[in-house]
Structure formats: C-alpha cells, structure tokens
Amino acid sequence: MAAQETVDHKYVYDFAEGNKDLKDLLGGKGANLAEMTNLGLPVPPGFTITTEACKAYLATGREPDGLAGQIEAHLESLERGMGRRLGDPHDPLLVSVRSGAKFSMPGMMETVLNVGLNDRSVVGLAAQAGGNERFAWDSYRRLIQMFGKTVCEVPGEEFEHALDEAKRARGTTSDLDLDADDLRGLVDAYKKIFLKHTGRDFPQEPREQLDLAIRAVFESWNAERAVLYRRQERIPADLGTAVNVVAMVFGNLGPDSGTGVAFTRDPASGAQGIYGDYLANAQGEDVVAGIRNTVPLQDLERLDKRSYDELLGIMARLEGHYRDLCDIEFTIERGKLWMLQTRVGKRTAAAAFVIAGQLVDEGLIDLDEALHRVNGAQLAQLMFPRFQLDHDFEPVAKGVGASPGAASGKVVFTSARAVELAAEGEAVILVRRETNPDDLNGMIAAKGILTSRGGKTSHAAVVARGMGKTCVSGADEIDVNVPAKRFSIAGQTVNEGDVVSIDGTTGKVYLGEVPVMPSEVVRYFEGTLDPDEADDALVRAVHRIMTHADAARRLAVRANADTGEDAARARRFGAQGIGLCRTEHMFLGDRRELVERLILTRTDTERSDALAALLPLQRDDFVEIFREMDGLPVTVRLIDPPLHEFLPPLEQLAVDVAVAQERGEDVAKEEALLAAVRRMHEENPMLGLRGVRLGLVIPGLFAMQVRAIAEAAVRVTREGGSACPEIMVPLVGAVQELETVRAEAEKIIAEVVGDSGVEVLIGTMIEVPRAALTAGQIAEAAQFFSFGTNDLTQMGWGFSRDDVEGAFFWRYLELGIFGISPFESIDRDGVGRLVRIAAEEGRAARPELKLGVCGEHGGDPESVHFFHSVGLDYVSCSPFRVPVARLEAGRAAVETVGSDSR
Ligand code: ADP
Ligand code: MG
Ligand code: MG
C-alpha cells in the first residue's frame, strides 16, 4: 500500500488509452479523439491532460505534483512515435495545444497551433517540407499570433493590422499571395508586437512554449466570456477543461493540402446530405473563424477525390458509431487525410426532431431514444412565429440561415450598444462583420444576429444556435462599417436605430419590420395541419415523437385557463383538463361596480344583493368553460387575491377626491371608496387577507362561487354534456380552514346537484409551507391537492417575487446561490422537498388523493421531470406550454438514470 501511495495520480492519457465515455475526465474533444484513434481512424498521435489536472491547477495556482513528469514521458513517447523531437532545429516535431471541456464551448477556450517553432526550427521545418520556406514562415507567424493572443493577451488586432499591412505592401488582399520573404518580415513585425505588449521576447524554448500554452488553457476556464457562456448554457462552473497536445499536421503545405469542417447531416434542417466547408492551403483556424471564403465540401471531390471518398466513408462510419449527427474537423496534408475532431454535432431544434425521426427509420435508434434526443426547449422554439411574406417584402440580402426564427429590431453595431438598448426594452439586431467571443453579451441581449461573413460553422452561427437565437451569417452583400455605425446594401444605407428583419431559416434580410405568422408546428398542434398530408419532414417528426411521448408518459397534462377561449385552445394543444381556472377575472370589467358594492357595503342585505347579481354572471362563465372541456376535469380556484386589488389605487383615489372637492362636486361615493381603501390597506398583501381567509370572513362570497360552479355543471350536464368540476380552495394552511369551507360548500352542492349525477370534488391548493408540513391532516378533508409552486416558492424562500427578481436575483445567480431563478425552475432541495413531503403524507392519509401542480413550474422542462419523480398525477401550465409539458413528461417516463441530454 505504501508503495501505491507514492505512485503519482494519473493526469495524462495517451489517445489510445481513452474513449468517448470519459468526457468528464478527458473533455469532449479528448474523449472523441481517443474514440476515433481506437476506431482505427487517421488521427495524429497525441495525449490529453485531464480536467482533474486543470482543477488542481485552478485550486492551487500551480501544476499538481507529478504532472510535469507525466507530460515529459508522454511527450517522449510521442517524439519516439513520430521520429522527431519537439523543436528540433533540423526536423522539428510541432504540436497543437487545444482546450476541450466536457461540453463544447465554441470559441470560448484557447487553441495554439505550431508549438515548437522558433528561429532555428523554422529553418528545419522548411527543409523537411522540401524547401518550402513559405509554409514554414507562415506556420511560425501563426504560432506567434495565436500564442501572443491567447497565452499572453496581446491584442489580436495588432497582428491583424500587421498582416493587412503586409498584404497591402504586396498589393493583394489574400494571404496566399504573401511569399516567404513577406512572411519572414511579418514574423519580425509580430515579434516586435509581442515584445511591446509582454515586455519579453517571444519564447524560443519549445518546452516553455508548451508549458505556457497548457497553463493558458487551464486559466481560460475562468475567462470572463467562458464564465458567461457557462451561465447562459447552465454548464456547471466546476468541471474544468482538459488539454489536448496533438502532433501537428499541415493543411498549409500547398494547393494539395487544406482543411475543413463538415456535418454528417444538415445541422439546420436535419436533411441528409453532405454539409461542410473546405479551404485549400490553410490551417484549421481559418475556417472556424470564417476569415477566408471557403468552398463547399462537395468541391473537394474535384480537388482530391481520394481524400474526399475516404472522408465520406469515415463520416458514414462515425454516424453509425455515434448513432447521431456528427460534426468533424479534418486536415489534408499533401493528399493525406487526418481527422482532428469529431463530436455529436449541435443542431437546430428543427433538425433535432427531423434527425431523431430519420435515425429511427434507419434503425439506428428506437423511439424511446428518439424521445430522449429532443427536448421541450427545442419544441418551444419551433412554436415561435415566422415571417409572413405574402406582402411586398423583398429581401435586400441573403446570407446563410444559421439559426432559425424571425426577428425584427433596431440595428446596432456593438455589443455594448445592444446591451444598452435592450435594457431600455428595445428589440435590437446585432450587426457585425463577424462575431467573436467578446460579442457574447450583445448576442444575449439581441433578438437576432446578422453578420456579413462566415458560414454555418462560424462563431456567430454556432453560438446563436446554442442560444436558440435567430441568426443570419455571411450576408456578404452587406458592407458593415462599425465605426460609422452603418451598413450599406444595394446602394442603400442602414444606420444604427433603423429597423431590419432577419429570417434565420432562409437567411433572408429585409429592411423594415416584416409581420409574422404562426409556425407550422403550432398549426399542427391546433389541428389545422394534418401530419399525414404535410410534406413537411419536421411536422411528421414532431407528430411521431409527440405520439410516442403521449403513449409513454405517466403524468397527465392540464392547462391553466380562465376563459372558454383559453380552454378551447388548451384542449387543441392536448390538455387533458384544466388544472387552474382563476376566478378573479370574473370580478373585473363591467362587474367592477358590483364588486365595489360588495366590498363597501356594511349591511348583510346589500351584500347578498351584490352577490346575487354576480352569481348568474359567474355561472355563465363556468358554463362556457365546462362546455369546452366536456368530459374533462376543470379545477376552479375560489377567489384568491385581496379584495382591495379590485379597487382603484389609493394615490389615484386620493387625488380624484381632492380635485372633485376643490370643484365643489358631490364626492360622497368616492370618499367612501377612499375610506375603504385606507381601511383595507395592507403592508404585505401577499401575506394578508386573501385566499381562504376571505372566504372565512366575508359571508356568502365562497358560497356564491360554489353555487355558480355547481349550477353551471348541472346545466351543462342537463344539456347532454359532462362537467367535472373540482373546487379548489386557495392558501389553506390548516385543515380547519378547509373543513369550514368544505362543510358549507357540500351543503350547497348537495342542494344544487340533486339527482343530476354531477359530481363535484373539493380539494385545496398546497402553497403555504404549513400546509405542506401538515398535509397528512389536510388530506383528511381534501379530495385533491394542487401545488401552487409560485406561492410555495415565495413563502418557502421568504421572497416577495415582485420585489426580489429585479433587486438582487442577479447577484444570487452570480454567486451561484442558485443556478436559475427558483420561480423559473423548481428548487428541488427546498421547495421541492415541501412538495415531496406533502405528496407522501397526503397519499399516506388518503391513497386515492389526486395530486397536481398548477404553478408556472408545470410548464418548465426540468420541473416536469421532478414532478414525475415525485409521483404527481398531472402538471398544469399555460396552454402554449402544454405540448412542451407533454413531451417532457414523456421524456421523464423513458429516461434512464444518469443520462445526459446535453
Ligand atoms: P476549437 O475547439 O475552437 O475548434 P480546436 O482545438 O479544434 O479549437 O482547434 C482549432 C483548429 O485548429 C481546428 O480547426 C483544427 O482543425 C486545427 N488544429 C488543431 N490541432 C491541429 C493539429 N494537430 N494539426 C493541424 N491542425 C490542427
Ligand atoms: Mg475544433
Ligand atoms: Mg397562490
């Protein structure tokens, strides 16, 4: 054992030692490089430094013990295998140093190519490349540029300016026209820039280059933009990144070399085919950055048929192996193909559904797996409206439909301006030549992103797709002038603040605001588009997967709906009932007068008169809803908000009265109202006279509502329909409250229902922590529980929602006290625990107790999974979220423990 303890912890893995399931340890890039190596694909040799090494470094500020030695050993074995030594002046081995975290974070982390070049080995490299000096100096200038920028924080523009300068001196716009001498001069210029910014010469010692680069990758985990991206994507902050050290292969060795990226299917639509970009005589970062104009991958067939065929074979093999869309990066060095990266590719929401459907057809996955491959957030995206183009809207430009959706907004040219205007509530479109990681804030703030350069694999495209944000990239007809805050297109000038519309599906750009129309998926849900007739692959895939979700799920899905119209829509979207029908709107509009009378009166008779007048109005509302929901349960919540919410605000009333008195008008009524508002004022209305408390202090109020519900149910049933009302008492904290209300309600129900056959359930909301904790007692008096998770969250945390969200939630999110607002996604540990306790104790007391949830969490994907795991019978959410909840409930039912959908 003692000997064991002196053995170093293993921090470095050869590619041959890893596999695709080791993403936690090796990061996605490293795990997949290992997988490809073990599949026998042509991957340049290399090794991966683990995320554990990164975490240890970040925790202590220095490399963990043993790491340096392990790197040395793996480097030696890499050198032996390649027959070259790092930085050897005659025949140098060069390596790339590449970050790679568990989840891909496009452009967020740092990569340095050509590590090992210096003033001496550049000569050796040229000699080894058959005297190709141009290539050697091009590689060296790239190293100084990337190393300077990513390792030493030298501003990247300085290098770009120097490069532009060299091109100008040559009278060219393409770096391909620079010859060896130009590039040698450029290396000198780059070195000066390096010295100016770092106070030291560019490091000549190869191992020092390597160590500094590795350290920079570790540190880039905590770079501001990486932190921001993680927060946006909800990626945990403590995973760390791995570092891959890979023997270099060269795409910049001449016209028979090149580099490219490809997808095994179209990541935008899911369509089968070959999708990719290729760039001859270049190194990989040129393609990813969208700096030079690439050619479609198909052109490679003409340029290098052998490599092309080999690539297609490998892509097919990878798809079969991963059973999913893969994206890849490759390089061809003098006709020899090398695979540099693969991963299960990001895709649009539409492509996710379409591809999942195709893979089922191809027998690669089953329907459970297909269901697992899509999610509610994607479905929600597909329900966004699209542009309505039957008017005179002519596109002014067409770029690449990089991330679907329809967005209109004011043009801005900088991230900062985007953030500023968005904070003022403006919709903005961020327009850039191309985006880079520094634009992330602006991209988050914008409604859409428009770039003049780059394809489907550009930074803008990849990041926008990840965010579900509309993006058109590579609209090269537009000429962007950022300093002047304008762009020109077809002779017109568009200034900051002008409105444009962009279609991320078609790539079209329009001037002005284009009206929008509902999505096809919504039309399908609404029943106006028949999936069997639709020639739309997306609608067919959605139909198929939704059908499977519905069959698989155990949770029922209901909707929150307050009117007949909402109820009808909810039903079309697949709601199996109403889980929350609020009755407060029935006290508004032209009924205000009656409500004021009810509130102001001090006599029993006046109060009964007001209630009697309200009764038929409410009954009609219920009749409408019960008719729409024929045969399905409708949970009606008795009046919940404090009654003063139905009166005019105090300030306004005080002013009105003062003004009227000044004019000598008769203000007796207003004065009475004002007095009532003053009397009823509450310091904490959320915790005041509301919910069941109203029912207990205002005689006849709940009774009127119960009667209206029961009479409506009887009427609909007598018409031949079937009404299934469930009366829900809000804000109960003690069983006695519920018992009191229930006793009165049951009398009324018995009297109204008679022999009509109508059955009315009586239950309660569980939204006060005390109710959750005494659920066993409350269940004795309740036929159902419905969790009001909004109030339960407010009271569980002691947050007043309206006050806290703007005041300090940003800070809590920043500090990681919660990863997401507990009003958006249920706090499993605290509020969720209350739900669990109440569900268990309620069911123990009354096994047939129906359990549901009607807070907004009912439509939140993560929360739906939680409610499934707690064993609720249904979730209820807004009608538009019903399909999302159906899908997620299905996913929850087929989910295997520990699976990971990201
Ligand atoms: P990112 O995660 O930003 O894509 P990568 O680590 O994949 O960064 O590297 C950026 C580019 O550099 C890739 O396009 C890849 O093709 C190229 N590259 C990385 N390592 C090598 C290598 N060993 N030889 C040649 N090109 C490489
Ligand atoms: Mg890459
Ligand atoms: Mg409530």
Side-chain angles (χ1 to χ4, degrees):
M1 285 312 283
Q4 279 282 316
E5 277 162 18
T6 63
V7 171
D8 283 337
H9 190 80
K10 185 170 171 64
Y11 286 121
V12 184
Y13 286 70
D14 190 88
F15 287 167
E17 295 177 289
N19 65 61
K20 70 174 167 37
D21 299 322
L22 293 180
K23 290 200 184 73
D24 284 316
L25 190 64
L26 304 180
K29 199 176 287 168
N32 288 321
L33 281 167
E35 188 77 11
M36 285 198 292
T37 301
N38 291 320
L39 280 173
L41 301 184
V43 177
F47 53 86
T48 304
I49 302 165
T50 64
T51 53
E52 284 180 2
C54 172
K55 285 190 272 190
Y57 174 85
L58 291 176
T60 61
R62 58 179 193 82
E63 284 77 3
D65 289 343
L67 177 59
Q70 290 181 41
I71 292 175
E72 187 67 45
H74 280 266
L75 190 59
E76 273 171 20
S77 110
L78 182 61
E79 288 175 335
R80 266 197 312 279
M82 299 292 290
R84 291 178 170 154
R85 278 188 309 102
L86 186 70
D88 183 326
H90 304 296
D91 185 10
L93 168 68
L94 304 187
V95 295
S96 63
V97 177
R98 314 167 68 188
S99 66
K102 176 174 184 187
F103 301 115
S104 86
M105 298 167 58
M108 291 295 104
M109 313 293 286
E110 319 293 359
T111 296
V112 184
L113 302 182
N114 308 330
V115 167
L117 274 179
N118 57 24
D119 293 349
R120 298 201 309 147
S121 63
V122 67
V123 179
L125 182 67
Q128 281 310 312
N132 190 340
E133 291 203 13
R134 185 197 179 278
F135 151 71
W137 287 97
D138 183 49
S139 302
Y140 194 18
R141 72 94 188 158
R142 287 169 189 270
L143 168 63
I144 303 173
Q145 184 166 356
M146 272 186 269
F147 191 92
K149 194 174 157 201
T150 64
V151 179
C152 301
E153 287 165 24
V154 179
E157 310 88 79
E158 298 231 3
F159 294 119
E160 273 148 38
H161 288 157
L163 180 58
D164 286 342
E165 189 51 48
K167 285 193 258 183
R168 197 163 328 135
R170 226 331 113 190
T172 179
T173 55
S174 167
D175 59 324
L176 288 177
D177 295 330
L178 299 178
D179 66 17
D181 284 338
D182 298 331
L183 291 163
R184 191 180 286 120
L186 194 55
V187 163
D188 279 338
Y190 276 9
K191 283 193 197 157
K192 292 206 183 87
I193 295 170
F194 189 92
L195 175 63
K196 185 177 94 194
H197 281 278
T198 63
R200 60 163 293 181
D201 286 322
F202 178 74
Q204 291 289 316
E205 178 53 50
R207 182 61 204 262
E208 188 191 2
Q209 291 174 1
L210 178 63
D211 289 338
L212 289 175
I214 291 170
R215 188 179 275 205
V217 172
F218 285 163
E219 287 175 356
S220 72
W221 177 257
N222 282 333
E224 196 182 330
R225 58 189 199 229
V227 172
L228 193 67
Y229 184 85
R230 285 200 291 273
R231 202 173 297 149
Q232 171 89 12
E233 297 294 313
R234 298 196 205 139
I235 295 173
D238 59 358
L239 301 174
T241 179
V243 187
N244 301 289
V245 177
V246 189
M248 281 300 300
V249 291
F250 298 100
N252 55 340
L253 262 173
D256 58 350
S257 303
T259 184
V261 294
F263 293 92
T264 55
R265 307 185 187 218
D266 184 349
S269 70
Q272 274 143 319
I274 298 152
Y275 295 86
D277 303 302
Y278 182 72
L279 193 56
N281 203 4
Q283 282 197 321
E285 81 273 13
D286 295 341
V287 183
V288 180
I291 280 167
R292 259 198 262 153
N293 278 331
T294 54
V295 299
L297 186 59
Q298 281 81 348
D299 289 11
L300 181 62
E301 181 168 22
R302 192 168 37 77
L303 297 170
D304 180 351
K305 172 115 172 73
R306 228 176 40 127
S307 297
Y308 180 75
D309 289 342
E310 186 182 357
L311 183 66
L312 259 47
I314 289 174
M315 281 162 64
R317 186 138 174 238
L318 285 174
E319 260 218 353
H321 185 71
Y322 284 87
R323 299 180 303 131
D324 207 346
L325 161 76
C326 294
D327 76 17
I328 61 164
E329 295 178 4
F330 66 93
T331 281
I332 296 173
E333 179 179 315
R334 290 196 167 140
K336 160 94 181 107
L337 173 69
W338 292 98
M339 300 300 294
L340 291 174
Q341 187 174 329
T342 192
R343 66 188 162 197
V344 167
K346 296 202 175 192
R347 67 206 70 188
T348 61
F353 278 87
V354 171
I355 291 172
Q358 288 167 357
L359 293 173
V360 172
D361 288 338
E362 292 166 27
L364 284 173
I365 61 174
D366 62 15
L367 272 167
D368 279 0
E369 179 63 25
L371 187 49
H372 185 64
R373 296 273 179 98
V374 297
N375 63 50
Q378 291 166 335
L379 184 61
Q381 263 187 49
L382 293 174
M383 295 172 70
F384 289 140
R386 295 213 214 147
F387 284 140
Q388 189 180 334
L389 289 167
D390 42 1
H391 299 274
D392 321 330
F393 286 99
E394 276 301 313
V396 291
K398 186 170 180 327
V400 177
S403 180
S408 295
K410 292 188 171 169
V411 166
V412 295
F413 293 93
T414 63
S415 186
R417 188 70 185 137
V419 170
E420 233 170 75
L421 279 186
E424 290 168 18
E426 297 278 3
V428 301
I429 304 291
L430 179 63
V431 181
R432 307 281 292 163
R433 212 160 287 174
E434 57 211 327
T435 61
N436 64 50
D438 299 327
D439 292 319
L440 208 55
N441 275 316
M443 296 175 76
I444 292 169
K447 285 272 177 292
I449 296 133
L450 170 61
T451 70
S452 60
R453 289 207 250 174
K456 264 192 180 131
T457 49
S458 66
H459 177 267
V462 172
V463 175
R465 278 202 296 278
M467 290 178 183
K469 199 142 282 191
T470 302
C471 176
V472 171
S473 67
D476 51 13
E477 300 112 305
I478 72 171
D479 186 10
V480 183
N481 186 338
V482 172
K485 297 191 196 153
R486 61 167 190 253
F487 70 78
S488 54
I489 168 70
Q492 304 188 60
T493 300
V494 178
N495 292 301
E496 182 177 281
D498 292 350
V499 173
V500 298
S501 301
I502 59 171
D503 185 331
T505 310
T506 61
K508 290 180 182 160
V509 181
Y510 306 86
L511 297 183
E513 190 167 337
V514 182
V516 291
M517 64 174 191
S519 84
E520 301 224 296
V521 171
V522 168
R523 286 175 50 215
Y524 154 66
F525 282 130
E526 286 185 329
T528 54
L529 194 65
D530 181 347
D532 294 326
E533 279 163 28
D535 57 359
D536 184 314
L538 173 61
V539 168
R540 283 200 314 274
V542 168
H543 173 65
R544 190 162 181 200
I545 293 173
M546 288 303 291
T547 305
H548 187 64
D550 285 339
R553 68 191 158 90
R554 205 204 55 227
L555 278 174
V557 177
R558 299 194 193 178
N560 300 346
D562 304 345
T563 63
E565 202 182 316
D566 281 356
R569 168 168 328 123
R571 194 161 191 171
R572 286 198 301 273
F573 278 15
Q576 294 158 288
I578 290 180
L580 175 63
C581 170
R582 302 176 188 85
T583 52
E584 31 282 20
H585 78 105
M586 300 175 187
F587 290 77
L588 294 174
D590 51 8
R591 303 165 189 185
R592 241 176 222 288
E593 180 102 23
L594 287 173
V595 175
E596 281 177 12
R597 249 167 62 200
L598 169 73
I599 297 172
L600 294 184
T601 182
R602 301 208 170 224
T603 75
D604 289 351
T605 32
E606 268 189 66
R607 184 183 316 106
S608 331
D609 287 352
L611 286 170
L614 278 166
L615 174 70
L617 302 174
Q618 296 220 345
R619 186 177 53 217
D620 290 349
D621 292 336
F622 292 128
V623 164
E624 219 182 291
I625 293 169
F626 291 151
R627 279 189 191 137
E628 293 293 350
M629 298 309 282
D630 185 36
L632 297 178
V634 176
T635 306
V636 180
R637 180 175 73 184
L638 300 180
I639 182 92
D640 182 49
L643 289 187
H644 51 81
E645 279 195 8
F646 298 97
L647 299 179
L650 180 62
E651 300 78 12
Q652 187 201 322
L653 214 47
V655 172
D656 289 354
V657 169
V659 170
Q661 278 171 339
E662 194 74 8
R663 293 204 198 106
E665 290 167 14
D666 174 17
V667 288
K669 184 170 168 261
E670 284 73 15
E671 276 173 340
L673 210 51
L674 180 60
V677 170
R678 289 221 164 96
R679 193 172 64 238
M680 294 168 74
H681 173 78
E682 292 176 312
E683 291 296 338
N684 288 307
M686 288 311 310
L687 304 177
L689 178 56
R690 54 175 284 226
V692 66
R693 303 157 196 174
L694 283 172
L696 297 179
V697 300
I698 303 193
L701 178 60
F702 276 12
M704 179 277 287
Q705 291 200 294
V706 170
R707 187 174 292 277
I709 294 165
E711 288 182 1
V714 170
R715 181 183 309 168
V716 170
T717 304
R718 294 245 150 88
E719 288 169 3
S722 157
C724 317
E726 303 179 340
I727 293 177
M728 177 157 81
V729 184
L731 220 72
V732 164
V735 66
Q736 295 86 346
E737 293 170 310
L738 183 60
E739 280 168 349
T740 310
V741 172
R742 184 174 172 180
E744 189 188 9
E746 275 178 337
K747 259 190 246 148
I748 297 167
I749 292 166
E751 178 196 320
V752 174
V753 162
D755 58 1
S756 66
V758 169
E759 201 194 333
V760 184
L761 300 188
I762 298 178
T764 180
M765 291 192 74
I766 300 289
E767 54 184 338
V768 175
R770 191 182 188 283
L773 298 173
T774 59
Q777 296 166 20
I778 293 178
E780 303 284 350
Q783 290 172 291
F784 63 89
F785 283 174
S786 177
F787 292 96
T789 52
N790 298 353
D791 265 313
L792 200 56
T793 300
Q794 295 208 96
M795 293 187 222
W797 279 90
F799 287 156
S800 147
R801 178 170 191 173
D802 296 331
D803 297 320
V804 298
E805 283 192 319
F808 62 80
F809 266 29
W810 60 272
R811 181 66 178 147
Y812 273 44
L813 290 162
E814 190 175 83
L815 288 171
I817 294 172
F818 29 72
I820 177 170
S821 161
F823 290 109
E824 240 179 89
S825 197
I826 190 142
D827 150 40
R828 293 185 179 220
D829 298 344
V831 178
R833 176 129 195 266
L834 289 170
V835 172
R836 198 180 282 278
I837 290 170
E840 280 167 13
E841 298 191 358
R843 280 247 167 88
R846 182 192 283 260
E848 77 282 10
L849 186 72
K850 256 204 236 191
L851 298 174
V853 58
C854 64
E856 275 162 59
H857 296 102
D860 166 65
E862 301 258 322
S863 308
V864 169
H865 287 242
F866 174 74
F867 298 132
H868 169 89
S869 75
V870 174
L872 302 195
D873 297 303
Y874 68 88
V875 295
S876 186
C877 56
S878 72
F880 209 67
R881 298 294 288 186
V882 164
V884 172
R886 284 163 55 199
L887 183 73
E888 289 293 350
R891 294 186 68 223
V894 302
E895 197 157 70
T896 48
V897 183
S899 63
D900 191 343
S901 59
R902 208 189 291 267

